[in-house]
Amino acid sequence: MKKLSLLVLALAVLGSARAAVRLPHVLSDGMVLQQQSSARLWGWATPGATVSVTASWNGGKTVTAKAAKDGKWEARVTTPAASFTKQTITFTENKDGKGGKVTLHDVLIGEVWVCAGQSNMEFPVKGFGNCPLKDYNNVVAEASRYDGIRYVKIPSVKSTKPLDDAQCWWKAADVDNVADCSAVGYFFARQLRSALNIPVGLILANKGGTRVESWLDKANLEKYTKETLDSTEMTRKFQYDYLYPLLWGNGTFHPILNYTVKGIIFYQGCSNVGDPSNQYSDRLSLLVNQWRRDFGEGNIPFYFVQLVPYADGGDPNGTQRAYLEEQQMRAADMIPNSGLICTNDLAYPWEQNQIHPSNKKPVGDRLGWLALEKTYNKKGFEAVSPRFDSMFIHGDTCFIRLKNTYGGISRYSDIEGFEVAGADKVFHKATAGHFWVPGNDPRNETVYVVSPDVKTPVAVRYCFRNFQIGNLGGNNGLPLFPFRTDRW
């Protein structure tokens, strides 16, 4: 009887010590909070209870929130400037004179970015099977130079209903853990960490193979698309579940929407190749508006990646992929506070049928440079790739004017990737070279394009193929975006 009484007492003590307040997994030890913001903190508690939130940087000041009938509560805490000082946050529930508490340790204040998209964003530093990362061991060995980079991987889960939590935890991107971090995300974070000298947090919310429709919410899908939202119908229509609309956004992205973030980097599009007309750019713009609305932080930056050349086991000279890349350019022009990086030079010739090219560092670097120039106003960066501006024709020669060249082009001769067509709409390989047009027009850095097979040219294309690697760039060394002057 005495032993039974002691057991009951022990259980009672244990129960009183266990906190009723509960946090989502994305709020955990080791996390990074967005600096100089009103950061959202949220969770669940006894309905009607008051939850007190005390952060170590606020000098003991407490913020309170009341749990609703369903137990949900939300508080906002003002965060200081970024620092490598480890902080704590304590959550205490007060209900009828009783309660419990949870304390988060090793919290850093820095810059927080979401890494969204499909498999080339999901691609970890350690690579996938038969899809290695270039210089993998060197990347791991150098990880200790970039202390303060941390990441949390949201499990790729599909759900018919929006989920509020996900089984995840924050990790330091150190020698022991960097292998599991998104490679593109990690190289992006390294640029920010190096230039700003502050902690960087990455939220990895992505799923290989997904379409843009996979991340749109129910209201947008019903209003702007004809996608089926019935799970049974999805299994009949799509061979693979990663192509399903709605479900991945519900399960993999919705759990992070309360987190206060600085911006989003995005690498996706392969699964939308072949979409009609302007459908992809319209829906990507819709998705960005949706995410900005849900994060509630205004027009947060959105930087994304143009597709790398890829033949997909088919005709490398086909143009389906090029049309999707064109749609990405259109989306970049449509979406405010956005930017697109060019990756036309980042596939090796032997990667023609490799959907996960190995050279991920320049992808992350270019995204990082774009953020540093456009979001963090670091004036020393020249982060934008050159693009087509206009064309004029004289005799058998086309003259292409470019913009965003930063004062020059990267080579004068042996330029590859140009094609010319006449009225018959048949494109022929062309010779191209540097040509200076006299005058003060900044576009006077011009490229001449000519083919002996086309005496009366009417149209020019540059790397407008499924797998065509060019070598022309701007004065900053970044590659020229593929383009076409025709609308055939």
Side-chain angles (χ1 to χ4, degrees):
M1 188 70 177
K2 184 176 181 181
K3 290 183 178 179
L4 181 61
S5 299
L6 290 173
L7 177 61
V8 171
L9 178 61
L11 291 173
V13 171
L14 181 62
S16 63
R18 184 180 296 130
V21 64
R22 182 169 66 87
L23 303 176
H25 289 78
V26 74
L27 300 184
S28 64
D29 291 345
M31 68 181 180
V32 180
L33 286 183
Q34 178 59 40
Q35 68 162 329
Q36 296 177 314
S37 70
S38 179
R40 278 188 299 267
L41 301 170
W42 73 101
W44 300 266
T46 305
T50 297
V51 176
S52 300
V53 182
T54 305
S56 57
W57 62 84
N58 276 343
K61 294 180 180 179
T62 296
V63 176
T64 61
K66 188 172 183 178
K69 291 181 180 180
D70 59 2
K72 293 181 180 180
W73 57 268
E74 179 182 308
R76 284 187 174 265
V77 175
T78 301
T79 56
S83 168
F84 292 95
T85 301
K86 296 179 179 180
Q87 307 285 357
T88 62
I89 310 174
T90 298
F91 304 83
T92 306
E93 177 183 309
N94 301 294
K95 176 70 173 176
D96 300 329
K98 301 178 181 179
K101 67 180 181 179
V102 173
T103 298
L104 300 182
H105 300 272
D106 191 22
V107 176
L108 293 182
I109 311 298
E111 292 292 284
V112 181
W113 287 77
V114 177
C115 302
Q118 58 182 109
S119 57
N120 273 299
M121 182 62 83
E122 187 177 22
F123 185 104
V125 169
K126 65 184 178 184
F128 293 138
N130 295 319
C131 305
L133 175 75
K134 182 183 178 182
D135 298 327
Y136 164 71
N137 285 315
N138 282 336
V139 175
V140 174
E142 294 171 355
S144 59
R145 301 180 186 176
Y146 303 97
D147 61 300
I149 298 177
R150 297 179 177 182
Y151 68 95
V152 56
K153 177 70 172 80
I154 310 303
S156 299
V157 173
K158 58 182 184 293
S159 173
T160 57
K161 301 292 184 182
L163 301 184
D164 292 329
D165 197 8
Q167 295 289 325
C168 59
W169 56 92
W170 285 83
K171 292 182 179 181
D174 55 22
V175 171
D176 293 326
N177 295 303
V178 71
D180 293 319
C181 186
S182 160
V184 169
Y186 177 63
F187 291 123
F188 168 82
R190 285 200 341 184
Q191 288 295 328
L192 269 57
R193 169 67 179 83
S194 297
L196 304 177
N197 193 31
I198 59 175
V200 179
L202 302 174
I203 301 176
L204 316 181
N206 40 62
K207 168 62 181 176
T210 47
R211 300 179 299 144
V212 69
E213 293 83 2
S214 304
W215 306 101
L216 288 171
D217 63 19
K218 183 178 180 181
N220 277 328
L221 286 165
E222 288 180 336
K223 185 175 182 180
Y224 296 105
T225 81
K226 295 181 180 179
E227 295 282 336
T228 179
L229 302 185
D230 179 81
S231 298
T232 303
E233 288 298 317
M234 290 181 199
T235 61
R236 295 194 186 105
K237 181 177 180 180
F238 299 105
Q239 184 178 1
Y240 304 107
D241 66 355
Y242 54 72
L243 297 172
Y244 292 175
L246 177 68
L247 305 187
W248 297 104
N250 279 346
T252 307
F253 210 90
H254 195 271
I256 72 169
L257 290 176
N258 276 339
Y259 212 97
T260 301
V261 303
K262 183 68 171 185
I264 301 168
I265 58 174
F266 187 72
Y267 193 165
Q268 187 274 337
C270 292
S271 293
N272 286 97
V273 169
D275 283 2
S277 187
N278 292 329
Q279 178 174 293
Y280 179 78
S281 53
D282 289 342
R283 292 183 180 181
L284 181 58
S285 178
L286 182 65
L287 177 62
V288 174
N289 288 338
Q290 171 188 304
W291 281 346
R292 286 173 169 170
R293 176 201 69 199
D294 292 344
F295 278 116
E297 299 296 329
N299 282 351
I300 56 176
F302 179 80
Y303 300 130
F304 61 119
V305 182
Q306 193 174 58
L307 297 182
V308 177
Y310 173 54
D312 194 17
D315 181 8
N317 292 317
T319 55
Q320 276 194 317
R321 196 169 182 84
Y323 285 115
L324 194 283
E325 292 171 7
E326 188 175 68
Q327 283 294 293
Q328 292 178 311
M329 290 288 290
R330 180 174 183 265
D333 291 337
M334 292 170 59
I335 302 168
N337 198 20
S338 72
L340 179 69
I341 66 161
C342 180
T343 60
N344 176 256
D345 60 334
L346 297 184
Y348 294 110
W350 58 86
E351 292 182 316
Q352 178 174 298
N353 292 306
Q354 172 57 278
I355 197 169
H356 303 123
S358 62
N359 203 8
K360 291 290 188 288
K361 183 177 182 297
V363 181
D365 288 348
R366 291 171 190 180
L367 287 167
W369 299 336
L370 206 57
L372 287 165
E373 181 181 11
K374 292 169 67 72
T375 298
Y376 298 103
N377 299 312
K378 296 300 178 182
K379 304 302 181 185
F381 287 93
E382 298 177 343
V384 179
S385 271
R387 60 185 291 184
F388 171 77
D389 183 77
S390 63
M391 177 179 73
F392 66 92
I393 299 173
H394 181 74
D396 64 352
T397 306
C398 301
F399 295 89
I400 303 297
R401 279 176 160 159
L402 305 176
K403 56 185 176 182
N404 303 332
T405 64
Y406 293 93
I409 61 174
S410 65
R411 62 190 306 134
Y412 275 23
S413 60
D414 297 323
I415 298 171
E416 299 175 357
F418 279 96
E419 296 177 283
V420 177
D424 62 358
K425 302 182 181 180
V426 177
F427 281 90
H428 299 267
K429 185 175 181 180
T431 299
H434 176 267
F435 185 85
W436 173 253
V437 178
N440 296 319
D441 192 324
R443 302 171 303 162
N444 285 356
E445 286 291 346
T446 302
V447 179
Y448 74 85
V449 183
V450 63
S451 172
D453 299 313
V454 184
K455 300 302 182 183
T456 309
V458 298
V460 171
R461 290 184 175 184
Y462 175 75
C463 292
F464 205 79
R465 302 282 184 181
N466 290 339
F467 193 87
Q468 188 175 18
I469 301 171
N471 62 2
L472 183 60
N475 211 50
N476 56 2
L478 293 179
L480 171 64
F481 279 108
F483 69 87
R484 59 177 176 141
T485 64
D486 64 276
R487 284 297 175 263
W488 297 334

